[in-house]
Each structure stands twice: as C-alpha cells, then as structure tokens.
Amino acid sequence: MSKIITIERFILDHQPDYARGEFTNLLYDIALAAKVIAHKTNRAGLVDILGRAGAVNIQGEIQQKLDVFADDIIFRICDHTGRLCVMASEEREEIIPIPEPYKKGSYVLVYDPLDGSSNIDVNVSIGTIFGVYRCKNWENRGRLEDVLQPARNLVAAGYVLYGSSTMLVYTTGQGVHGFTLDPELGEFLLSHENMRLPEPPGYYSVNSSYYESWSPQIQQYARWLQGLDGSNAPKMSARYIGSLVADIHRNLMRGGIFCYPAERGKPHGKIRLLYEAGPLAFMIEQAGGYASDGRRNVLDIEPTDLHQRTPFYIGNRSLVHKAEYYVEQEIDLTRDA
Ligand code: AHM
Ligand code: MG
C-alpha cells in the first residue's frame, strides 16, 4: 500500500545539508500561505471578494481583491519569522523590507501572489509563483542587489495551482515534487513525486491572437508547432488558459511548450523575469525541460529591474531549442527598446 506523506514530512526528509531549519521552515510558511489563499479562492464566488479593488498596480493593471489579499497574506506570514531579509512581489513597485523590530534572516523571497488575475472573476484556474534566493551580501543584507539575482542562483522555486484541486509543486534542486491539498485535512499530501516532462509532448500553448504582431520567424515557428509547415513537428494539440501556472502545469504533466514571444511594440513580451519566468525556468530544468528567452537560457539572464519582462519559451527541451532556432534568424526586437 502506498504511504501517505505530508508536505511537512517530505520537506523535512529531503532538506539539503545546509538547511538548518531556517530554509525548511520557509517552505512550510509558503505552504501555509498557499492553504490560506486556496481557502479564500474557493470561497471567491460566495463572499464579496470579486470585482475590482480599485487600485492600479505598477504594471498599470487594475488590481483585483484576491490579488491584494494573496499579496498581503504572503507578506504577513513571512515578514516576522526571521528567515527572510527582503521580499519582492509583482504587486509592489519596490522591494519589501523586513519591518522593524523583526530580525532579518538570510533568504530572499520573490513571488507573484496571484497570477492569471484576468481568470479570477470567471472561475478559471489561477496560481502563485515563488522563488527563494540566499542573500548575496550578509553584512548589508536586505537590499535590491539581494533580489536582482539570476534564476540560476535560486535555492528553491515552485508554484501553487488553484484548480479543480489545489496543488503545490516545488523544487529545491533535487527533482520536482507535487502535493495535492486535502481540503478536509488541510494538508498537502505527496501526489506526484519526481515529476518529469514526458515525451512525446502533447500540447503547445501560445496566444495566437497576437500572430500579426510577431516577427515572420515567430510566425513560422507557430506554424511549425501547428504542424503546418510540412516538416517534422510532433503532433500536438493547442491549449491556452491564460494562467501561466495552469498552462505550465498541464504541459509539465503531458509534455509541451508554453510561449510568450516578443511582439511588435512589446519587444520583451509580457512575462516578468524575476517572479514568473525565473522560478518556472529553474523548476522546469529540474523536470528535464528548458526555458529560454529565444536567445539564451532564462537562468542566465541577470535582472536589472524588479519588474522587467522577457520573451519566454518553456517546456520540453527539443521544442524550446526549435524556438531558439527560429528566433536566432530574427532581428533582435529588444535591441532598440
Ligand atoms: P498577470 O500577472 O497580470 O496575471 O498576467 C500574467 C498572465 C499569465 O498568467 C499568462 O500566461 C499571461 O498573462 C496571459 O496573457 P495574454 O492574455 O496576453 O495571453
Ligand atoms: Mg503575474
């Protein structure tokens, strides 16, 4: 009979040598935040939470109440524990310092509290994305330089998917593991150990309503994905939810690629490097996949701005390499931006 393993047990049993409890407990904190957000998300249609909060976030988008709630919960669970020295969130313009009088720890948390916000009001899956770094400069920890690190430096990354069930999927660099929330018990239970991208891939995910804004090479790549250019593309089906976590989770389970290319007038695409692309790139590599901006490994991009965006291709290695093959032939749209 298979064993029942809670996320707490699993984290404890798999903690890296350097973990010293601080890192392990930080992962518990994230799991706790995920449970609180899942609870609220499940009740979203029942309580007066839908609709807009009225404020506009720094991306120029209208924040919705659940985004604000999720952002606040993660902050409040993590600010006073002594494990973090600084945080950064999609919803906040600046880095988030640890407030006085709390002690600063040695880790950095970057997060997108509720991604796929356009799907909240229509009861479609949404997600939380997170990444954990070690601080760079212990003496002066808690500054912007601790946050602006390439994703290759991550020590943990993952996401929470609020879908037909709630799942937490994470890696600490030793494989990717998925846990499903039992809402009765309030526990995340190990359901998907050592997740790997299967071959052959099943799906490609791209918002083809932007087709006219892509370069001819990206258009050609899109046709290749659809099997329309007569060459040797695997036979795949199209799926696009418009929630990064849900699209990537499905592709992780079934194999495939998610693309958000550069566009005319949007040379960096839409996806944010620090708290969306970076953590997911770190995770997908642990599942045997690869993520690229079309020209280089996302893990190697040195961030210069908290909210910078990047073209994004993520999924089965061969499909992402094929994207790089097409992008290589295009004029670099970011060069004059
Ligand atoms: P958000 O951070 O405002 O929620 O936007 C990010 C989302 C991703 O989840 C998704 O992949 C993408 O935006 C969809 O964008 P589009 O509607 O342009 O296809
Ligand atoms: Mg987002």
Side-chain angles (χ1 to χ4, degrees), residues 57 59 61 67 90-91 112 114-119 129 206-207 209-210 240-247 258 260 263 266 270-272 275-276 309:
N57 75 7
Q59 320 285 349
E61 300 153 337
D67 306 32
E90 179 184 314
E91 297 298 333
D112 182 350
L114 213 59
D115 185 67
S117 44
S118 67
N119 280 328
I129 307 169
V206 63
N207 188 340
S209 66
Y210 302 130
Y240 192 81
I241 296 169
S243 280
L244 191 54
V245 168
D247 277 312
F258 172 92
Y260 208 114
E263 290 166 29
K266 244 167 57 180
K270 179 181 186 189
I271 305 303
R272 288 67 159 200
Y275 39 76
E276 293 178 335
R309 298 171 194 264

Coordinates of all heavy atoms in Angstrom, one line a residue, residues 57 59 61 67 90-91 112 114-119 129 206-207 209-210 240-247 258 260 263 266 270-272 275-276 309, ligand 1:
N57 N -2.0 48.6 -10.1 CA -0.7 48.2 -9.6 C 0.4 48.8 -10.6 O 0.0 49.4 -11.6 CB -0.5 46.7 -9.5 CG -0.4 45.9 -10.8 OD1 -0.3 46.5 -11.9 ND2 -0.5 44.6 -10.8
Q59 N 2.2 47.7 -12.8 CA 2.2 47.3 -14.2 C 1.1 48.0 -15.0 O 0.9 47.7 -16.2 CB 1.9 45.8 -14.3 CG 2.6 44.9 -13.3 CD 4.0 44.7 -13.6 OE1 4.5 45.1 -14.7 NE2 4.8 44.1 -12.7
E61 N -2.1 47.7 -14.3 CA -3.3 46.9 -14.4 C -4.1 47.1 -13.2 O -3.6 47.4 -12.1 CB -2.9 45.4 -14.4 CG -2.0 45.0 -15.6 CD -1.1 43.8 -15.3 OE1 -0.8 43.6 -14.1 OE2 -0.7 43.2 -16.3
D67 N -6.0 39.4 -5.5 CA -4.5 39.7 -5.7 C -4.0 40.4 -4.5 O -2.9 40.1 -3.9 CB -4.2 40.7 -6.8 CG -4.8 40.3 -8.2 OD1 -5.9 39.7 -8.2 OD2 -4.1 40.7 -9.2
E90 N 5.1 40.9 -7.3 CA 4.6 41.5 -8.6 C 3.7 42.7 -8.2 O 3.6 43.7 -9.0 CB 3.8 40.5 -9.4 CG 3.2 41.2 -10.6 CD 2.3 40.4 -11.5 OE1 2.7 39.2 -11.8 OE2 1.3 40.9 -11.9
E91 N 3.0 42.7 -7.1 CA 2.1 43.7 -6.7 C 2.7 45.0 -6.1 O 2.0 45.9 -5.8 CB 1.0 43.2 -5.8 CG 0.2 42.0 -6.4 CD -0.6 42.5 -7.6 OE1 -1.0 43.7 -7.7 OE2 -0.9 41.6 -8.5
D112 N 4.9 36.0 -7.2 CA 3.7 36.6 -7.9 C 2.6 36.0 -7.1 O 2.3 34.8 -7.2 CB 3.7 36.2 -9.3 CG 2.5 36.8 -10.1 OD1 1.6 37.4 -9.4 OD2 2.5 36.7 -11.3
L114 N -0.7 36.1 -7.1 CA -1.9 35.5 -7.8 C -1.8 35.8 -9.2 O -2.2 36.9 -9.7 CB -3.2 36.1 -7.2 CG -4.3 35.0 -7.2 CD1 -3.9 33.8 -6.4 CD2 -5.6 35.6 -6.6
D115 N -1.2 34.9 -9.9 CA -1.0 35.1 -11.4 C -2.2 34.6 -12.2 O -2.9 33.6 -11.8 CB 0.2 34.3 -11.8 CG 0.6 34.6 -13.2 OD1 0.9 35.7 -13.5 OD2 0.4 33.7 -14.1
G116 N -2.5 35.2 -13.3 CA -3.6 34.9 -14.1 C -4.8 35.6 -13.6 O -6.0 35.1 -13.7
S117 N -4.6 36.9 -13.2 CA -5.7 37.6 -12.5 C -6.9 37.8 -13.4 O -8.0 37.9 -12.8 CB -5.2 38.9 -11.9 OG -4.4 39.6 -12.9
S118 N -6.8 37.8 -14.7 CA -7.9 38.0 -15.5 C -8.9 36.8 -15.5 O -10.0 36.9 -15.9 CB -7.5 38.2 -17.0 OG -7.0 37.1 -17.5
N119 N -8.4 35.7 -14.9 CA -9.2 34.5 -14.8 C -10.0 34.4 -13.5 O -10.8 33.5 -13.3 CB -8.3 33.2 -15.0 CG -8.0 33.0 -16.4 OD1 -8.9 33.2 -17.3 ND2 -6.9 32.4 -16.7
I129 N 3.3 32.0 -7.8 CA 4.7 31.6 -8.2 C 5.6 32.1 -7.2 O 5.5 33.2 -6.7 CB 5.0 32.1 -9.6 CG1 4.0 31.7 -10.6 CG2 6.4 31.6 -10.1 CD1 4.1 32.4 -12.0
V206 N 0.2 29.0 -26.8 CA 0.6 30.3 -27.2 C -0.7 31.1 -27.6 O -1.6 30.5 -28.1 CB 1.6 30.3 -28.4 CG1 1.0 29.7 -29.7 CG2 2.2 31.6 -28.7
N207 N -0.7 32.4 -27.3 CA -1.9 33.2 -27.6 C -1.8 33.7 -29.0 O -1.2 34.7 -29.3 CB -1.9 34.4 -26.6 CG -3.3 35.1 -26.8 OD1 -3.9 35.0 -27.8 ND2 -3.6 35.9 -25.8
S209 N -3.7 35.0 -30.9 CA -4.4 36.2 -31.4 C -3.4 37.4 -31.6 O -3.7 38.4 -32.2 CB -5.4 36.7 -30.3 OG -4.8 37.1 -29.1
Y210 N -2.1 37.1 -31.2 CA -1.1 38.1 -31.4 C -0.3 37.8 -32.7 O 0.8 38.5 -32.9 CB -0.1 38.2 -30.2 CG -0.8 38.5 -28.9 CD1 -0.5 37.7 -27.7 CD2 -1.6 39.6 -28.7 CE1 -1.2 38.0 -26.5 CE2 -2.2 39.9 -27.5 CZ -2.0 39.1 -26.4 OH -2.6 39.3 -25.2
Y240 N -4.6 26.8 -24.3 CA -4.1 28.1 -23.8 C -5.2 28.6 -22.8 O -6.3 28.9 -23.2 CB -3.9 29.1 -24.9 CG -3.2 30.3 -24.4 CD1 -1.8 30.3 -24.3 CD2 -3.8 31.5 -24.1 CE1 -1.1 31.4 -23.8 CE2 -3.2 32.6 -23.6 CZ -1.8 32.6 -23.5 OH -1.1 33.7 -23.1
I241 N -4.8 28.6 -21.5 CA -5.7 29.0 -20.4 C -5.6 30.5 -20.2 O -6.5 31.2 -19.8 CB -5.4 28.2 -19.2 CG1 -5.7 26.7 -19.4 CG2 -6.3 28.7 -18.0 CD1 -5.2 25.8 -18.3
G242 N -4.3 31.0 -20.3 CA -4.1 32.4 -20.0 C -3.7 32.6 -18.5 O -3.7 33.7 -18.0
S243 N -3.5 31.5 -17.8 CA -2.9 31.5 -16.5 C -1.6 30.7 -16.6 O -1.6 29.5 -16.9 CB -3.7 30.8 -15.5 OG -4.8 31.5 -15.0
L244 N -0.5 31.4 -16.4 CA 0.8 30.8 -16.7 C 1.0 29.5 -15.9 O 1.5 28.5 -16.4 CB 1.9 31.8 -16.2 CG 3.3 31.6 -16.6 CD1 3.5 31.3 -18.1 CD2 4.2 32.8 -16.2
V245 N 0.6 29.5 -14.6 CA 0.8 28.3 -13.8 C 0.0 27.1 -14.3 O 0.5 26.0 -14.4 CB 0.4 28.6 -12.3 CG1 0.3 27.4 -11.5 CG2 1.4 29.6 -11.7
A246 N -1.2 27.4 -14.7 CA -2.1 26.3 -15.2 C -1.6 25.8 -16.5 O -1.5 24.6 -16.7 CB -3.5 26.8 -15.3
D247 N -1.2 26.7 -17.4 CA -0.6 26.3 -18.7 C 0.6 25.4 -18.5 O 0.8 24.4 -19.2 CB -0.4 27.5 -19.6 CG -1.6 27.9 -20.3 OD1 -2.4 27.1 -20.9 OD2 -1.9 29.1 -20.3
F258 N 5.1 26.2 -23.6 CA 4.4 27.5 -23.5 C 5.3 28.6 -24.1 O 6.5 28.6 -23.8 CB 4.1 27.7 -22.0 CG 3.5 29.1 -21.8 CD1 2.2 29.3 -21.7 CD2 4.4 30.2 -21.6 CE1 1.6 30.6 -21.5 CE2 3.8 31.5 -21.4 CZ 2.5 31.7 -21.4
Y260 N 5.5 32.8 -24.9 CA 5.0 34.2 -24.9 C 6.1 35.0 -25.6 O 7.0 35.6 -24.9 CB 4.7 34.8 -23.5 CG 3.6 35.8 -23.6 CD1 2.3 35.6 -23.1 CD2 3.9 37.0 -24.3 CE1 1.3 36.6 -23.2 CE2 2.9 38.0 -24.4 CZ 1.6 37.7 -23.9 OH 0.6 38.7 -24.0
E263 N 6.8 40.9 -29.3 CA 5.9 41.4 -30.3 C 6.3 42.7 -30.8 O 7.0 43.5 -30.1 CB 4.5 41.5 -29.7 CG 3.8 40.3 -29.3 CD 2.6 40.5 -28.4 OE1 2.0 41.6 -28.5 OE2 2.3 39.7 -27.6
K266 N 6.0 45.4 -28.2 CA 6.2 44.7 -26.9 C 7.4 43.8 -27.0 O 7.3 42.6 -27.0 CB 4.9 43.9 -26.6 CG 4.2 44.4 -25.3 CD 2.8 43.9 -25.1 CE 2.6 42.4 -25.0 NZ 1.2 41.9 -24.8
K270 N 5.5 39.8 -22.3 CA 4.7 40.1 -21.1 C 5.2 39.6 -19.8 O 5.0 40.1 -18.8 CB 3.2 39.7 -21.4 CG 2.3 40.0 -20.2 CD 0.9 39.5 -20.5 CE 0.0 40.0 -19.3 NZ -1.3 39.3 -19.4
I271 N 5.8 38.4 -19.9 CA 6.1 37.6 -18.7 C 7.2 38.3 -17.9 O 8.2 38.7 -18.5 CB 6.4 36.2 -19.0 CG1 5.3 35.5 -19.9 CG2 6.7 35.3 -17.8 CD1 3.9 35.5 -19.2
R272 N 7.1 38.4 -16.6 CA 8.1 39.1 -15.8 C 9.2 38.1 -15.4 O 9.0 36.9 -15.1 CB 7.5 39.6 -14.5 CG 6.7 40.8 -14.6 CD 5.4 40.5 -15.4 NE 4.4 41.5 -15.1 CZ 3.1 41.2 -15.3 NH1 2.7 40.0 -15.8 NH2 2.2 42.1 -15.1
Y275 N 9.9 37.0 -10.9 CA 9.0 36.2 -10.1 C 8.0 35.4 -11.0 O 7.1 34.7 -10.4 CB 8.2 37.1 -9.1 CG 7.8 38.4 -9.7 CD1 6.7 38.5 -10.6 CD2 8.5 39.6 -9.5 CE1 6.4 39.7 -11.2 CE2 8.1 40.8 -10.1 CZ 7.1 40.8 -10.9 OH 6.7 42.0 -11.5
E276 N 8.2 35.4 -12.3 CA 7.4 34.4 -13.1 C 8.4 33.5 -13.9 O 8.5 32.3 -13.6 CB 6.5 35.2 -14.1 CG 5.4 36.0 -13.3 CD 4.5 36.8 -14.3 OE1 4.9 37.2 -15.4 OE2 3.4 37.1 -13.9
R309 N 10.5 42.4 -18.1 CA 9.8 41.4 -18.8 C 10.8 40.7 -19.7 O 11.8 41.2 -20.0 CB 8.6 41.9 -19.6 CG 7.6 42.6 -18.7 CD 6.6 43.4 -19.5 NE 5.8 44.3 -18.7 CZ 4.6 44.0 -18.3 NH1 4.0 42.8 -18.5 NH2 3.9 44.9 -17.5
Ligands
AHM1 P1 -0.9 38.7 -14.6 O1 0.4 38.6 -13.8 O2 -1.4 40.1 -14.7 O3 -1.9 37.8 -14.1 O4 -0.6 38.3 -16.1 C1 0.2 37.2 -16.4 C2 -0.6 36.3 -17.2 C3 0.0 34.9 -17.3 O5 -0.5 34.1 -16.3 C4 -0.5 34.4 -18.6 O6 0.4 33.4 -19.1 C5 -0.5 35.7 -19.4 O7 -0.7 36.7 -18.5 C6 -1.6 35.7 -20.5 O8 -1.5 36.9 -21.2 P2 -2.4 37.1 -22.5 O9 -3.8 37.4 -22.0 O10 -1.8 38.3 -23.1 O11 -2.3 35.9 -23.4

